[in-house]
Amino acid sequence: MKAVEKKINDDGIALQCRIFTEFPFPATYRKITWNYDNEKRPAREGYMPKWEKRINGRYIKILSDIEYGFPHGNDILIILFLIIELRRQNAGREIIFNTVNDFLRTFDYGCDEPNRKNAYKAFKRIFYSTWYYRDEAGNEYSFRIMDYCKLFPEDGIFRGPEYKNKIVLTEEFCAAVSLFPVPYKTAPVIALKQSPMALNLYLFLVYRTWVNWKKEKAEAFIPFFGDNGLQNQLSSEIGTVRKFRQSIQGWVEQIKGLWPDCPVYFKEETHLERPKGRRPRKYLDGLFLHCTSPDQLHVPPHWDKELRLAIEEGQQVALKAAQTPTEKQAKVIRSGGSTDDVARLDAGTMTKAEATKIVG
């Protein structure tokens, strides 16, 4: 999507889900050709419908629709937008916005036709995908992001309440956000939106520095390569070792330009046998991270408070969703229920359990 030139002065704090921080979307997607055996039909070209990854005993798999493919690149901005609106609107799991332009403006994209089409496709990729996640303790989670998605992407012009876009998030996704919240700043996300890999690395480092400060209390080494390396962590498609090393140095420079106190650094060689006159090189097999002050955190120093409030809010949303009749139940009650039932439904006093008894 094409960005617009705009001075970034928003330093607001938003929430990200740790699942997507630890397992960021791949930067690209692949098309494949499907051959139909024993049938006289031509081969069909579509998007790869599955993506999976394992890191440190954790596992994630995304199953998607062949027409849209799995989420990739800047599709993470859709997730961030939904979480932002979930907290801002505070209307349970339901999110309503005028046009796709609202999403584009949130992250300073131009509201032109190509951007609207790309955003519409990104919403669809998220809608048609299912996540399967296993954490380091062996707990397994399965969830989709949306239960319902209604979009009007044609021209980006708001034509009235009946044309408003509506998304209903799943209870499982809301629970995942409340269980695994990670605060971040919105301004760097806007600045890095044109570089998905740099954006993925930024969101990862925001969380990783907090872990280093709160738990490790010592210098940590993050390798570039291997099963637990950054190349695997970030789902990088860069194949050559040298190019990945060069790229990650560029991404770190971008991040430090937005986060000067970022406690991530490279080390120089310390070999005593270095040929005379040769300049010391960077230690190019990984990053070093050592957070020695809360001022180096990107969301200092009240992260614990943010996390606690986020978890409490997520629990309240989940509780409210569990007590509220579903849309299907409400439709049945309004069409055939008693006057008293309809009145209580409209007043918001009917619980989900009561609706289940009525509808069956």
Side-chain angles (χ1 to χ4, degrees):
M1 288 180 280
K2 181 181 178 182
V4 295
E5 294 295 331
K6 183 175 180 179
K7 184 178 179 182
I8 298 172
N9 52 19
D10 176 21
D11 202 34
I13 295 176
L15 279 184
Q16 154 75 314
C17 182
R18 181 162 63 91
I19 293 175
F20 305 111
T21 299
E22 295 179 316
F23 293 94
F25 298 159
T28 58
Y29 59 85
R30 290 190 296 118
K31 277 195 171 184
I32 58 174
T33 299
W34 296 85
N35 294 312
Y36 300 96
D37 296 331
N38 303 322
E39 293 187 32
K40 294 181 178 180
R41 288 190 290 168
R44 175 186 174 187
E45 187 180 64
Y47 293 108
M48 178 67 74
K50 183 178 75 170
W51 176 81
E52 57 186 338
K53 184 169 289 294
R54 290 177 173 82
I55 299 175
N56 266 346
R58 295 161 296 164
Y59 170 77
I60 194 164
K61 178 169 67 174
I62 303 176
L63 294 182
S64 63
D65 183 79
I66 187 175
E67 182 178 352
Y68 295 101
F70 51 74
H72 64 274
N74 276 352
D75 290 359
I76 187 62
L77 297 179
I78 301 292
I79 303 293
L80 302 184
F81 172 74
L82 294 176
I83 297 175
I84 289 172
E85 291 301 305
L86 175 69
R87 302 183 73 207
R88 185 183 68 82
Q89 297 186 22
N90 194 26
R93 297 183 290 121
E94 185 176 289
I95 295 173
I96 296 177
F97 52 102
N98 293 332
T99 71
V100 175
N101 289 349
D102 293 351
F103 160 74
L104 296 173
R105 294 190 190 99
T106 298
F107 296 103
D108 290 344
Y109 279 112
C111 297
D112 53 22
E113 185 177 0
N115 279 350
R116 285 196 297 271
K117 287 184 176 179
N118 288 336
Y120 176 79
K121 291 178 181 177
F123 272 102
K124 289 297 183 180
R125 282 193 290 270
I126 298 293
F127 176 73
Y128 284 107
S129 294
T130 302
W131 276 258
Y132 299 88
Y133 174 67
R134 183 175 64 236
D135 62 20
E136 56 272 12
N139 301 312
E140 295 184 341
Y141 307 87
S142 171
F143 62 90
R144 297 179 68 240
I145 304 298
M146 310 175 200
D147 269 337
Y148 177 83
C149 180
K150 181 180 180 182
L151 297 177
F152 295 94
E154 287 79 7
D155 53 16
I157 299 175
F158 178 53
R159 301 183 183 279
E162 65 273 20
Y163 290 99
K164 280 191 174 183
N165 295 319
K166 178 180 177 181
I167 288 175
V168 179
L169 301 176
T170 64
E171 294 181 11
E172 294 81 6
F173 173 67
C174 294
V177 173
S178 66
L179 287 173
F180 309 107
V182 175
Y184 67 93
K185 289 187 178 180
T186 55
V189 168
I190 294 173
L192 296 171
K193 64 179 181 287
Q194 294 300 99
S195 177
M197 296 302 293
L199 176 57
N200 288 342
L201 181 60
Y202 162 74
L203 293 171
F204 170 74
L205 290 178
V206 169
Y207 171 69
R208 192 64 181 78
T209 52
W210 180 81
V211 171
N212 183 258
W213 166 252
K214 295 293 289 187
K215 298 181 179 180
E216 295 175 336
K217 304 290 187 181
E219 182 181 73
F221 174 66
I222 306 174
F224 287 163
F225 310 107
D227 292 341
N228 300 325
L230 279 175
Q231 187 179 37
N232 186 40
Q233 183 85 44
L234 300 177
S235 306
S236 174
E237 297 289 335
I238 299 175
T240 61
V241 171
R242 181 177 180 181
K243 189 173 181 181
F244 181 78
R245 288 168 171 167
Q246 293 173 344
S247 297
I248 203 164
Q249 288 184 75
W251 301 332
V252 169
E253 289 178 3
Q254 285 182 270
I255 292 170
K256 286 201 169 187
L258 302 163
W259 179 7
D261 295 326
C262 179
V264 173
Y265 50 90
F266 301 93
K267 281 189 176 181
E268 293 184 346
E269 289 180 330
T270 56
H271 297 161
L272 299 178
E273 299 177 359
R274 185 174 69 245
K276 185 177 180 180
R278 195 181 100 184
R279 297 175 60 186
R281 297 183 304 174
K282 297 293 185 183
Y283 185 81
L284 296 180
D285 286 330
L287 292 176
F288 289 86
L289 187 154
H290 192 192
C291 188
T292 59
S293 166
D295 293 333
Q296 292 178 295
L297 298 173
H298 203 38
V299 192
H302 53 282
W303 194 333
D304 290 337
K305 179 181 178 181
E306 285 287 328
L307 286 174
R308 186 180 69 255
L309 293 176
I311 292 173
E312 291 174 355
E313 181 178 339
Q315 291 172 341
Q316 291 173 2
V317 170
L319 180 62
K320 182 178 179 181
Q323 295 176 342
T324 304
T326 65
E327 290 188 2
K328 186 176 180 179
Q329 290 175 330
K331 185 177 180 180
V332 173
I333 292 172
R334 286 196 174 93
S335 62
S338 66
T339 303
D340 180 63
D341 291 338
V342 174
R344 287 194 297 120
L345 182 67
D346 292 337
T349 58
M350 179 179 292
T351 66
K352 190 173 183 178
E354 293 173 334
T356 301
K357 290 181 179 179
I358 297 171
V359 175

